[in-house]
Amino acid sequence: MSSRTEPTATEEAAAPEAAPPAPAGRTPSGCAITIEGVSKTYAADAGPVHALTPTDLEVAPGEFVVLLGPSGCGKTTLLRMLAGLEVPTEGSVRMGDRTLFAPGALAPQRDALGSLGFVFQAPTLMPWRRIGRNIELPLEGKGPRRRERRERAALMAEKVGLEDFLRHYPRQLSGGMQQRAAIARALVHDPDVLLMDEPFGALDAMTRDQMNILLQQLWMDTGKTVVLVTHSISEAVFLADRIVLLSPRPGRVKDVVEIDFPRPRPLSVSADPEFGEIVARLRAQLGEHE
Ligand code: ADP
Ligand code: MG
């Protein structure tokens, strides 16, 4: 395990994180993400809200990066900027070789957004559509004809263990199963990047463990670039290649911790003393209890 200690402001400005190598042993299919000097200040009635201070971050193709930080530190803001849903106040964002936001841009460059999957904390399924039809949603109007859409949705449903529920409605599924459907929907169009905002935050601990195993497997099988937001320290250590620890608002990168337990990681990795040490250190840095 290696950890970068907190850099000084000048170091941070002068030496943005070098692009880490792609994780060994897997063929990445995702693209790199480059964030340079990205900050966000919201204009609110009561005055400006500084959500994120200028931040640099490089995510390698196929890397699994977890953004970890206390509530309100700008995690969702950062993720929404990567999805083109929020415009940075300063800085630039690149997806692979395409520029999503140039410095000073007023809107995202839509063609850089072609290939993205987003999973929110709530499954956000359409209640009037069956699970299969929910999963195939990103393919609609994109080229694949109806039959191909059905086939691809069925294949994704199988990968998340929902093959027997294609004809069910969301209300007939548990919260964990609905979130599986949301993950299948986010991956059905084979995106380069998967963005996840506290996707398992609403689930009970046991279901969450199962979802972490499933997500690790999907990621290993597909080689996607994943950026996942959580405020669960143990979830971060279990899933991440790299944890980016953010300070309380306005968010800034406080530490970057590489996690190199071999994959696939079993749930029992949390009993490893080294796992416990990393959790304890992160907890101390966050100054909170999980
Ligand atoms: P996190 O996801 O880490 O909990 P957010 O990115 O949601 O944090 O929010 C960071 C800060 O920005 C918070 O103080 C929040 O209240 C503020 N914020 C988020 N969205 C808006 C908005 N649309 N307008 C004004 N302030 C906002
Ligand atoms: Mg959030």
Side-chain angles (χ1 to χ4, degrees):
M1 309 297 140
S2 62
S3 157
R4 200 166 59 89
T5 47
E6 200 163 336
T8 62
T10 40
E11 268 174 1
E12 212 168 42
E17 190 90 358
R26 289 187 302 270
T27 313
S29 72
C31 75
I33 304 172
T34 312
I35 300 165
E36 278 178 2
V38 165
S39 73
K40 181 69 184 180
T41 301
Y42 290 104
D45 290 344
V49 179
H50 301 294
L52 193 70
T53 59
T55 296
D56 295 321
L57 183 65
E58 291 248 0
V59 182
E63 194 181 14
F64 199 128
V65 166
V66 173
L67 304 177
L68 177 68
S71 189
C73 75
K75 303 182 296 295
T76 294
T77 298
L78 184 53
L79 213 60
R80 286 175 57 84
M81 291 193 284
L82 298 184
L85 297 170
E86 208 71 69
V87 180
T89 306
E90 301 171 284
S92 65
V93 178
R94 285 206 312 278
M95 292 283 173
D97 54 5
R98 293 183 173 178
T99 299
L100 178 59
F101 291 106
L106 298 175
Q109 207 67 46
R110 291 276 161 209
D111 63 351
L113 268 182
S115 200
L116 202 84
F118 206 115
V119 180
F120 303 91
Q121 181 167 350
T124 63
L125 300 172
M126 292 180 171
W128 61 88
R129 282 185 164 223
R130 297 176 194 273
I131 292 300
R133 298 290 316 281
N134 264 288
I135 294 175
E136 69 181 67
L137 198 66
L139 299 173
E140 287 178 9
K142 292 275 164 56
R145 299 177 72 87
R146 191 168 154 174
R147 186 165 161 188
E148 190 191 336
R149 292 202 306 262
R150 297 283 135 91
E151 284 170 3
R152 285 173 65 174
L155 201 66
M156 270 319 303
E158 200 181 321
K159 286 191 181 160
V160 299
L162 287 181
E163 62 275 19
D164 295 334
F165 295 90
L166 283 165
R167 296 192 56 75
H168 286 60
Y169 287 97
R171 66 174 181 279
Q172 299 173 302
L173 270 58
S174 69
M177 290 160 83
Q178 289 187 26
Q179 204 56 322
R180 284 171 192 258
I183 293 171
R185 181 185 56 189
L187 289 172
V188 74
H189 56 306
D190 197 24
D192 290 331
V193 172
L194 180 62
L195 304 175
M196 310 181 89
D197 193 358
E198 308 212 29
F200 312 134
L203 304 177
D204 63 84
M206 221 182 283
T207 308
R208 192 172 184 143
D209 282 349
Q210 290 169 359
M211 297 300 283
N212 283 342
I213 290 284
L214 171 69
L215 178 58
Q216 171 177 245
Q217 196 56 53
L218 285 172
W219 170 75
M220 290 183 71
D221 291 347
T222 59
K224 301 290 173 211
T225 307
V226 179
V227 181
L228 178 141
V229 162
T230 185
H231 57 241
S232 163
I233 301 172
S234 53
E235 180 169 271
V237 180
F238 179 79
L239 287 172
D241 286 330
R242 228 161 23 116
I243 298 175
V244 177
L245 185 70
L246 296 168
S247 69
R249 191 176 68 81
R252 58 180 294 271
V253 177
K254 199 172 172 187
D255 200 359
V256 177
V257 183
E258 277 175 38
I259 310 290
D260 52 17
F261 293 110
R263 311 255 191 190
R265 298 172 186 164
L267 287 173
S268 59
V269 72
S270 65
D272 188 313
E274 204 171 354
F275 190 102
E277 281 164 26
I278 301 168
V279 168
R281 195 172 74 222
L282 289 166
R283 185 171 291 153
Q285 281 176 296
L286 283 165
E288 64 171 18
H289 300 282
E290 208 179 348

Short mmCIF file of all heavy atoms in Angstrom, two decimals, residues 42 44 49 51 70-77 249, ligand 1:
data_model
loop_
_atom_site.label_atom_id
_atom_site.label_comp_id
_atom_site.label_asym_id
_atom_site.label_seq_id
_atom_site.Cartn_x
_atom_site.Cartn_y
_atom_site.Cartn_z
N TYR A 42 -21.09 27.43 -6.55
CA TYR A 42 -22.50 27.61 -6.91
C TYR A 42 -22.94 29.01 -6.53
O TYR A 42 -22.56 29.52 -5.46
CB TYR A 42 -23.38 26.62 -6.15
CG TYR A 42 -23.24 25.19 -6.58
CD1 TYR A 42 -22.52 24.29 -5.79
CD2 TYR A 42 -23.84 24.71 -7.74
CE1 TYR A 42 -22.40 22.95 -6.15
CE2 TYR A 42 -23.72 23.38 -8.11
CZ TYR A 42 -23.01 22.50 -7.31
OH TYR A 42 -22.89 21.19 -7.68
N ALA A 44 -25.74 30.91 -5.07
CA ALA A 44 -26.99 30.67 -4.34
C ALA A 44 -27.52 32.01 -3.82
O ALA A 44 -26.77 32.99 -3.72
CB ALA A 44 -26.73 29.70 -3.18
N VAL A 49 -21.57 29.44 -2.93
CA VAL A 49 -21.18 28.24 -2.18
C VAL A 49 -19.97 27.63 -2.87
O VAL A 49 -20.06 27.19 -4.02
CB VAL A 49 -22.32 27.20 -2.14
CG1 VAL A 49 -21.89 25.95 -1.37
CG2 VAL A 49 -23.57 27.79 -1.52
N ALA A 51 -18.02 24.79 -3.49
CA ALA A 51 -18.20 23.34 -3.29
C ALA A 51 -16.89 22.59 -3.48
O ALA A 51 -16.64 21.60 -2.79
CB ALA A 51 -19.25 22.81 -4.26
N PRO A 70 -16.47 13.35 3.43
CA PRO A 70 -17.67 13.61 4.23
C PRO A 70 -18.77 14.24 3.40
O PRO A 70 -18.53 14.77 2.31
CB PRO A 70 -17.17 14.57 5.32
CG PRO A 70 -15.96 15.22 4.74
CD PRO A 70 -15.34 14.23 3.81
N SER A 71 -19.97 14.19 3.93
CA SER A 71 -21.12 14.76 3.26
C SER A 71 -20.88 16.25 2.97
O SER A 71 -20.34 16.96 3.80
CB SER A 71 -22.32 14.59 4.18
OG SER A 71 -23.48 14.93 3.51
N GLY A 72 -21.23 16.68 1.78
CA GLY A 72 -21.13 18.10 1.44
C GLY A 72 -19.77 18.55 0.95
O GLY A 72 -19.54 19.74 0.74
N CYS A 73 -18.83 17.60 0.71
CA CYS A 73 -17.48 18.01 0.32
C CYS A 73 -17.33 18.13 -1.19
O CYS A 73 -16.23 18.37 -1.69
CB CYS A 73 -16.43 17.05 0.89
SG CYS A 73 -16.36 15.48 0.04
N GLY A 74 -18.40 17.93 -1.93
CA GLY A 74 -18.34 18.16 -3.37
C GLY A 74 -18.18 16.90 -4.21
O GLY A 74 -17.88 17.00 -5.40
N LYS A 75 -18.42 15.73 -3.63
CA LYS A 75 -18.26 14.48 -4.38
C LYS A 75 -19.26 14.41 -5.54
O LYS A 75 -18.89 14.12 -6.67
CB LYS A 75 -18.46 13.26 -3.46
CG LYS A 75 -17.54 13.23 -2.25
CD LYS A 75 -17.74 11.98 -1.41
CE LYS A 75 -19.11 11.85 -0.77
NZ LYS A 75 -19.43 12.89 0.22
N THR A 76 -20.52 14.66 -5.21
CA THR A 76 -21.54 14.61 -6.26
C THR A 76 -21.28 15.68 -7.31
O THR A 76 -21.43 15.44 -8.52
CB THR A 76 -22.95 14.79 -5.63
OG1 THR A 76 -23.21 13.66 -4.79
CG2 THR A 76 -24.04 14.90 -6.68
N THR A 77 -20.86 16.85 -6.84
CA THR A 77 -20.56 17.94 -7.77
C THR A 77 -19.49 17.51 -8.77
O THR A 77 -19.64 17.71 -9.99
CB THR A 77 -20.06 19.16 -6.97
OG1 THR A 77 -21.11 19.58 -6.09
CG2 THR A 77 -19.66 20.30 -7.88
N ARG A 249 -16.01 20.48 2.94
CA ARG A 249 -16.25 21.61 2.06
C ARG A 249 -15.47 22.85 2.46
O ARG A 249 -15.43 23.18 3.63
CB ARG A 249 -17.76 21.92 2.07
CG ARG A 249 -18.20 22.90 1.00
CD ARG A 249 -19.71 23.06 1.05
NE ARG A 249 -20.15 23.73 2.25
CZ ARG A 249 -20.11 25.05 2.38
NH1 ARG A 249 -19.65 25.80 1.41
NH2 ARG A 249 -20.53 25.60 3.48
P1 ADP B 1 -21.41 15.63 -1.49
O1 ADP B 1 -21.90 14.84 -2.65
O2 ADP B 1 -19.97 15.41 -1.19
O3 ADP B 1 -22.26 15.41 -0.27
P2 ADP B 1 -22.27 17.93 -3.05
O4 ADP B 1 -21.41 17.92 -4.25
O5 ADP B 1 -23.66 17.44 -3.21
O6 ADP B 1 -21.53 17.19 -1.85
O7 ADP B 1 -22.37 19.42 -2.50
C1 ADP B 1 -21.23 20.19 -2.16
C2 ADP B 1 -21.68 21.53 -1.64
O8 ADP B 1 -22.28 22.27 -2.67
C3 ADP B 1 -22.72 21.43 -0.54
O9 ADP B 1 -22.47 22.44 0.41
C4 ADP B 1 -24.03 21.67 -1.23
O10 ADP B 1 -24.98 22.24 -0.38
C5 ADP B 1 -23.61 22.62 -2.33
N1 ADP B 1 -24.45 22.48 -3.52
C6 ADP B 1 -24.62 21.37 -4.26
N2 ADP B 1 -25.43 21.60 -5.30
C7 ADP B 1 -25.79 22.91 -5.21
C8 ADP B 1 -26.60 23.78 -6.00
N3 ADP B 1 -27.22 23.34 -7.11
N4 ADP B 1 -26.73 25.07 -5.60
C9 ADP B 1 -26.11 25.52 -4.51
N5 ADP B 1 -25.31 24.78 -3.73
C10 ADP B 1 -25.16 23.48 -4.06
#
